[in-house]
Amino acid sequence: DLIDLSGATMYEKAFASCTSFKAVKFVSANVKGSAVFSGCSSLESVTVDGQDCAEGSWDFDDNGNIVVNG
């Protein structure tokens, strides 16, 4: 199932280590902290600003930019 977080503001570690998300969609401008999806091992699909990102585990730098690990 897709979780659409495009209208939400996400702060540091908001969903860290959440294992129930399989697909998320959001707008990068709404990310206000780092490591928002760090350790989300079940993520299979991430869409940022309408662009699909490659599979992997997801993290963010201090500016809210997505960083792909793995």
Side-chain angles (χ1 to χ4, degrees):
D1 292 343
L2 174 67
I3 306 292
D4 189 346
L5 299 169
S6 297
T9 300
M10 295 170 280
Y11 295 93
E12 187 166 336
K13 299 181 181 177
F15 302 106
S17 301
C18 177
T19 58
S20 60
F21 286 176
K22 290 191 177 186
V24 294
K25 173 183 175 183
F26 62 94
V27 178
S28 61
N30 295 356
V31 176
K32 304 299 182 190
S34 62
V36 174
F37 295 106
S38 177
C40 292
S41 58
S42 295
L43 275 180
E44 297 171 359
S45 171
V46 174
T47 304
V48 182
D49 298 327
Q51 299 285 347
D52 290 334
C53 298
E55 272 190 58
S57 57
W58 316 99
D59 203 353
F60 291 86
D61 65 16
D62 290 336
N63 296 317
N65 300 312
I66 195 165
V67 176
V68 179
N69 300 308

